[in-house]
Amino acid sequence: MIEYNNLINGIITTKISNIISLNLFLFIIFALILSLIIDMIFGELPTRIHPVVIMGSIINFFKKLFIGIKNKISGLLVVLGVYSVSIIILYLIYLICSCNIVLFFIVFSILLSSTFSVNMLLKTASDVKDALDENIDKARQMVSYLVSRDTDELTESFIVSATIESLTENITDSYVAPVFYYFIFGVVILCHPLDNQLFYLLLIPMAYRISNTMDAMLGYQTEELIDIGFLPAKIDDILNFIPSRIAGLFIVISAYLMNLDGRNAYKIMMRDARNCPSPNSGYTMATTAGALNIQLIKKDTYILGDDNKVITKEDISKAVRLSKMTICLFTVVIILLFTLIYVIL
């Protein structure tokens, strides 16, 4: 009788565990889909409530607090301070919203959408192309917001190059990396359930976005930021190491699917990706240059690709379409892989 009861209890426990696992699996998938829809339809959240803007304010606070310390410990203090405050804020939001699953799912998806910027990434590049149709000075001004170089005297070809560089470099940190880490941790909690696991599921891509924002604000090789920005820049390099290479490979596959030069995309990626000062950004920029058979140039810094044809503003449109295909393909493949892992488990 005891053995029979143990068997029944074991079956019930297994069924409950399977139901919980299925619900978690569906939550992870549909939260990503909803967050991507939110980003593509509505774009960025209002500035006053945008998590990245709030992160920027927190980073700026700790920057002012520790920048007087003229060694690399200042960067560590900033990192610890920013992560601590951000985690507390995120956990408070989690506690407030977790009382209602529908509310939590919506808030979760909105916050997840803030960790990537597909809409803004694609639209900004297209807007530069439109500006070139109207006025080159307007295009120069728009590009100045995207790149850290002097744009006042850029010719059309260099404006196009800078736009494609910015677009393709940001494929990694504006989508592939946060989604990659989101699903990696999704697999972890499917295998080893945790308390407050949905909080940690959101924390992981948010933590990546915090790191990326710290690098954007502090990771410049200037006398003022050389110490305080060292650690944030290195953390961002480490976090982007795998996603950037994955993004590059997906651009190669996308180029084949779009009847672009996929073979050359792979060749240029392997040959030129390391030409950039960043250990990661070249993997998407060089691959795109190869796929479009163009040359991307940042004066006195790097040359990516071969000068097979004159670069024109139409190449921006091609790069946008290639980026869309890469993002769509990556999304489909990673969801299918996640589903396969769930079925195997």
Side-chain angles (χ1 to χ4, degrees):
M1 187 67 174
I2 295 175
E3 290 181 1
Y4 177 77
N5 288 337
N6 288 339
L7 176 62
I8 295 299
N9 289 335
I11 293 172
I12 293 172
T13 301
T14 300
K15 286 186 176 180
I16 292 173
S17 176
N18 289 339
I19 292 171
I20 293 172
S21 178
L22 175 61
N23 288 340
L24 178 61
F25 166 77
L26 293 175
F27 186 99
I28 292 170
I29 295 294
F30 285 108
L32 175 69
I33 293 172
L34 179 57
S35 66
L36 188 55
I37 291 171
I38 290 170
D39 180 71
M40 293 306 297
I41 294 176
F42 300 105
E44 299 299 306
L45 295 172
T47 302
R48 288 179 298 175
I49 61 170
H50 201 300
V52 175
V53 176
I54 296 170
M55 289 175 200
S57 299
I58 297 169
I59 293 166
N60 197 46
F61 171 80
F62 284 103
K63 172 191 170 185
K64 291 178 179 178
L65 190 62
F66 296 122
I67 199 165
I69 303 174
K70 294 301 180 183
N71 60 58
K72 291 180 176 59
I73 194 69
S74 59
L76 175 61
L77 294 172
V78 169
V79 169
L80 293 175
V82 170
Y83 273 119
S84 298
V85 173
S86 300
I87 289 171
I88 291 170
I89 293 173
L90 191 63
Y91 190 66
L92 289 174
I93 295 173
Y94 168 76
L95 289 178
I96 293 169
C97 298
S98 58
C99 57
N100 183 296
I101 187 61
V102 175
L103 173 65
F104 179 74
F105 178 72
I106 293 171
V107 172
F108 183 101
S109 300
I110 291 172
L111 289 175
L112 181 61
S113 75
S114 73
T115 66
F116 46 80
S117 305
V118 176
N119 181 297
M120 186 176 72
L121 181 66
L122 300 173
K123 185 177 183 301
T124 301
S126 297
D127 286 347
V128 174
K129 195 261 183 183
D130 292 340
L132 279 170
D133 292 333
E134 300 173 18
N135 186 303
I136 193 168
D137 289 328
K138 181 180 178 182
R140 285 171 178 151
Q141 184 177 17
M142 293 181 68
V143 169
S144 70
Y145 302 135
L146 305 179
V147 296
S148 58
R149 69 196 73 166
D150 183 7
T151 63
D152 290 343
E153 303 297 330
L154 289 185
T155 63
E156 179 175 310
S157 62
F158 279 108
I159 291 172
V160 172
S161 179
T163 303
I164 295 174
E165 291 164 47
S166 176
L167 168 65
T168 54
E169 178 183 3
N170 283 292
I171 289 174
T172 299
D173 51 21
S174 288
Y175 188 71
V176 171
V179 173
F180 171 79
Y181 286 113
Y182 173 73
F183 275 106
I184 287 293
F185 194 75
V187 172
V188 171
I189 61 176
L190 279 178
C191 297
H192 304 286
L194 304 170
D195 292 334
N196 300 319
Q197 55 194 9
L198 292 179
F199 166 72
Y200 293 110
L201 180 65
L202 180 59
L203 176 62
I204 299 304
M206 291 296 289
Y208 169 80
R209 178 54 60 206
I210 292 168
S211 170
N212 189 250
T213 305
M214 280 194 287
D215 178 55
M217 293 181 65
L218 304 176
Y220 293 103
Q221 297 293 322
T222 64
E223 185 176 348
E224 180 193 29
L225 300 175
I226 189 68
D227 290 321
I228 200 169
F230 178 81
L231 183 60
K234 291 302 178 185
I235 292 173
D236 190 67
D237 285 345
I238 292 169
L239 291 177
N240 278 323
F241 186 86
I242 294 175
S244 64
R245 286 149 178 81
I246 291 173
L249 289 174
F250 270 90
I251 291 175
V252 172
I253 299 169
S254 298
Y256 275 111
L257 293 175
M258 294 176 64
N259 291 320
L260 297 173
D261 199 337
R263 177 178 292 184
N264 194 51
Y266 181 76
K267 179 186 118 178
I268 299 300
M269 179 180 73
M270 298 305 293
R271 191 192 74 189
D272 292 350
R274 294 180 183 84
N275 290 354
C276 301
S278 163
N280 302 314
S281 62
Y283 281 88
T284 47
M285 293 193 295
T287 309
T288 301
L292 302 182
N293 269 300
I294 58 175
Q295 197 167 67
L296 301 176
I297 301 174
K298 181 177 181 180
K299 288 182 179 180
D300 303 320
T301 306
Y302 55 72
I303 298 175
L304 307 173
D306 297 320
D307 189 16
N308 293 330
K309 72 179 187 69
V310 176
I311 188 170
T312 70
K313 58 190 175 185
E314 295 306 318
D315 289 309
I316 295 178
S317 299
K318 293 178 184 178
V320 168
R321 290 195 294 271
L322 179 60
S323 299
K324 285 180 181 178
M325 174 62 80
T326 301
I327 289 166
C328 289
L329 182 64
F330 175 73
T331 304
V332 171
V333 169
I334 202 165
I335 288 176
L336 290 176
L337 281 175
F338 186 69
T339 303
L340 179 62
I341 292 169
Y342 171 75
V343 171
I344 292 172
L345 293 175

